[in-house]
């Protein structure tokens, strides 16, 4: 009987596992293999070169710049995004003033604010990057025009042309276009927390800040941890690549003096501009290691006893 059950389960798993191996595991293995060759990506001919690409990687200044930028993105962007999303979601669900018939409620107009916060998710990341590219224009962009309107004519940075501002400007766009998703995600999680918990805490004299750290955050921790990992992967992957590629890429890639070059963009530049596919896969392997290390650190530091209600 049990053998028949196992064969039944194995029959259902065989197809998905075969597809996963073919389209996910096998490309990863191919990338690792090509990182030990001199493949150009344009010719079927290549030779095995051992660790030469990895030795080159250690001496590549642009790689280390892009590595530092990616680490900065994966630390700061999720931190700011998750913090803002938690604050907004808390205010929209339980941070409002006490009203008649409801001791715990969100701020007035919370449904409208959720739509406003979620609106950037409706736009393509390419559209968002183009809009902010125009907004950051030092001559007639909306941001510098706003500074002039309030009398700050002397403060007119070249947001995307100055190496000191370019990466920070890109990070601001990433936060703006992703925070709304997490507001909705955390709002859904908070709405499942019984209001009795908040009402009991308020009766005991707890403040809104106390209820957030003692009730909301512990009960929402699994969602926050998953969101942190997801946001970190976005900061190391397609979202960061798209914003940097559209907003700041010049002749050399990655803004002025490589100030916004990140690992995904450097992979693209080496593979498709320079025809160095093998070296690009080497950078891709390094990116994979960084991504796995980030997920492992978040899972390890965020491990705590599961709370149920």
């Amino acid at each position: 009987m049990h053998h028949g059950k196992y064969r039944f389960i194995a029959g259902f798993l065989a197809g998905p596992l075969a597809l996963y191996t073919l389209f996910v595991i096998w490309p990863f293995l191919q990338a690792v293999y090509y990182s030990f060759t001199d493949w150009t990506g344009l010719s079927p001919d290549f030779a095995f070169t051992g660790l030469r690409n990895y030795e080159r990687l250690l001496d590549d200044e642009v790689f280390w710049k892009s590595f530092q930028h990616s680490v900065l993105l994966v630390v700061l962007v999720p931190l700011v995004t998750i913090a803002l999303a938690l604050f907004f979601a808390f205010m929209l669900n339980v941070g409002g003033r006490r009203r008649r018939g409801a001791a715990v409620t969100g701020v007035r107009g919370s449904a409208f604010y959720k739509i406003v916060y979620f609106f950037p998710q409706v736009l393509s990341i390419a559209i968002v990057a183009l809009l902010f590219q125009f907004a950051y224009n030092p001559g007639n962009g909306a941001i510098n025009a706003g500074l002039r309107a309030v009398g700050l004519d002397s403060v007119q940075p070249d947001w995307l042309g100055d190496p000191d501002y370019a990466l920070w400007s890109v990070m601001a766009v990433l936060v703006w276009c992703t925070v709304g998703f997490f507001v909705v995600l955390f709002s859904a999680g908070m709405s499942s927390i019984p209001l009795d918990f908040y009402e009991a805490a308020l009766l005991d004299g707890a403040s809104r800040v106390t209820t957030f750290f003692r009730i909301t955050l512990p009960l929402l921790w699994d969602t926050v941890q998953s969101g942190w990992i997801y946001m970190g992967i976005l900061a190391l992957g397609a979202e960061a690549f798209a914003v940097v590629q559209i907003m700041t890429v010049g002749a050399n890639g990655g803004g002025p003096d490589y100030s916004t070059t990140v690992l995904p963009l450097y992979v693209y530049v080496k593979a498709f501009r320079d025809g160095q596919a093998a070296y690009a896969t080497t950078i891709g392997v390094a990116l994979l290691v960084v991504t796995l290390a980030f997920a492992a650190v978040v899972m390890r530091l965020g491990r705590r006893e599961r709370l149920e209600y």
Side-chain angles (χ1 to χ4, degrees):
M1 184 69 180
H2 288 288
H3 292 295
K5 180 180 69 173
Y6 293 144
R7 283 196 299 268
F8 179 76
I9 295 174
F12 270 97
L13 291 179
L17 286 176
L19 291 175
Y20 185 81
T21 301
L22 178 63
F23 293 107
V24 178
I25 302 298
W26 180 242
F28 274 121
L29 296 178
Q30 281 186 310
V32 174
Y33 172 74
Y34 285 131
S35 69
F36 294 102
T37 69
D38 61 356
W39 185 45
T40 64
L42 303 175
S43 169
D45 300 323
F46 58 87
F48 189 79
T49 59
L51 297 175
R52 186 179 303 171
N53 287 326
Y54 290 93
E55 294 172 355
R56 175 185 173 186
L57 197 71
L58 295 177
D59 296 328
D60 190 342
E61 293 184 2
V62 178
F63 166 77
W64 287 112
K65 273 190 175 183
S66 61
F67 178 83
Q68 293 171 5
H69 298 158
S70 290
V71 170
L72 194 61
L73 283 178
V74 83
V75 171
L76 293 183
V77 172
L79 178 64
V80 175
T81 303
I82 298 298
L84 287 175
L86 282 171
F87 172 75
F88 291 145
F90 183 77
M91 294 303 295
L92 293 178
N93 288 273
V94 295
R97 294 182 178 181
R98 181 176 302 183
R99 301 176 199 166
R100 181 181 301 176
V104 179
T105 184
V107 297
R108 293 185 183 276
S110 58
F112 171 75
Y113 290 132
K114 288 179 183 178
I115 295 174
V116 172
Y117 292 144
F118 191 75
F119 177 73
Q121 293 295 312
V122 180
L123 301 175
S124 165
I125 187 63
I127 299 299
V128 171
L130 285 173
L131 290 175
F132 273 91
Q133 187 180 43
F134 292 132
Y136 281 134
N137 189 297
N140 54 9
I143 297 178
N144 280 359
L147 293 175
R148 288 192 296 269
V150 297
L152 297 176
D153 297 56
S154 59
V155 183
Q156 298 289 299
D158 186 357
W159 298 101
L160 300 178
D162 190 331
D164 295 331
Y165 291 104
L167 186 62
W168 299 103
S169 302
V170 168
M171 286 195 287
V173 175
L174 288 172
V175 171
W176 183 86
C177 67
T178 54
V179 70
F181 171 80
F182 291 100
V183 169
V184 175
L185 178 67
F186 295 151
S187 294
M190 290 180 190
S191 63
S192 65
I193 300 175
L195 295 180
D196 296 346
F197 292 178
Y198 294 106
E199 292 173 354
L202 293 175
L203 289 174
D204 289 338
S207 65
R208 297 292 186 184
V209 176
T210 302
T211 58
F212 174 78
F213 285 103
R214 295 297 181 89
I215 298 176
T216 305
L217 191 57
L219 294 177
L220 204 64
W221 186 251
D222 288 343
T223 305
V224 172
Q225 187 181 48
S226 300
W228 199 292
I229 295 174
Y230 177 70
M231 188 63 228
I233 293 173
L234 287 183
L236 287 171
E239 295 281 332
F241 167 79
V243 173
V244 172
Q245 168 73 6
I246 294 171
M247 294 179 63
T248 67
V249 168
N252 296 320
D257 193 27
Y258 299 101
S259 60
T260 61
T261 303
V262 290
L263 288 177
L265 176 64
Y266 199 40
V267 171
Y268 173 83
V269 168
K270 286 301 176 184
F272 297 103
R273 191 197 68 180
D274 298 342
Q276 301 175 15
Y279 187 55
T281 59
T282 307
I283 303 169
V285 171
L287 177 59
L288 173 64
V289 172
V290 172
T291 305
L292 293 177
F294 167 76
V297 168
V298 172
M299 293 293 291
R300 182 66 182 87
L301 296 179
R303 184 181 302 170
R304 59 171 61 189
E305 183 180 353
R306 185 179 179 87
L307 299 176
E308 297 182 356
Y309 52 91

